Amino acid sequence: MEKGNIKQTWVLSILKILLFMYIITGILLVILAGMLYKMQLSEGVVSAGIVVIYVVSGFLGGFLAGKIMKTRKFLWGMLMGGCYFLILIAGSVAFQHGIGMELSRFFTTLVLCIGSGMIGGMAS
C-alpha cells in the first residue's frame, strides 16, 4: 500500500471516530436535557452530567481508535481526546464569541478529554 493511501486511511478513520464521538455526545445531551426538563435538576447535577458526557465520549473515541490503529493505542486515544476537545473549544468560540469558561475549568476539561481518550485506547 502507498504511503499516501495509508495517511488518507488514518485521517478518514480519525474523522469517522470524531463524528461517532459527537453523535454520542448529542444523544447523551438530549437525554440530559430531557432529565433536566422532567426532573428539574440542579445546576451542579447538570454540570456533573456534562463532565460524564465528555468522559464517556472520550473513552469511546479512544477505544475505537485503539481498535482501528492497533499500535500505540494510548497515543491514538490521546489524539482523539485532544481533537474532541479542540472541536469543543472551536464551537465555544464560534457560538459564544469566546471560550466561555474560566481557565481552571478549561484545563480540567482538557485533561478529562485527553485522559479519557487515553484510557479508552489502553482498554481497547
Side-chain angles (χ1 to χ4, degrees):
M1 198 181 261
E2 293 178 25
K3 268 192 173 184
N5 286 341
I6 292 172
K7 185 176 182 180
Q8 189 176 26
T9 301
W10 68 259
V11 168
L12 192 57
S13 294
I14 287 173
L15 292 175
K16 285 179 183 178
I17 294 168
L18 281 170
L19 177 62
F20 170 78
M21 291 170 78
Y22 276 98
I23 289 171
I24 293 299
T25 299
I27 291 168
L28 293 176
L29 284 173
V30 167
I31 292 169
L32 182 62
M35 290 172 62
L36 176 63
Y37 176 74
K38 289 289 187 184
M39 297 183 219
Q40 296 165 348
L41 303 174
S42 69
E43 184 177 337
V45 172
V46 172
S47 293
I50 291 170
V51 168
V52 168
I53 291 170
Y54 290 159
V55 170
V56 167
S57 296
F59 178 85
L60 291 175
F63 187 84
L64 283 176
K67 284 288 187 195
I68 291 170
M69 301 305 181
K70 297 194 184 350
T71 61
R72 297 188 186 114
K73 295 176 178 187
F74 73 99
L75 288 176
W76 285 108
M78 289 175 69
L79 176 69
M80 295 311 305
C83 289
Y84 179 83
F85 175 78
L86 289 175
I87 294 170
L88 281 176
I89 294 303
S92 179
V93 168
F95 292 115
Q96 295 181 8
H97 306 293
I99 292 179
M101 68 174 79
E102 60 270 358
L103 198 56
S104 64
R105 188 164 164 212
F106 176 89
F107 287 114
T108 302
T109 305
L110 172 64
V111 169
L112 284 171
C113 290
I114 290 176
S116 63
M118 180 183 71
I119 292 169
M122 291 167 61
S124 66

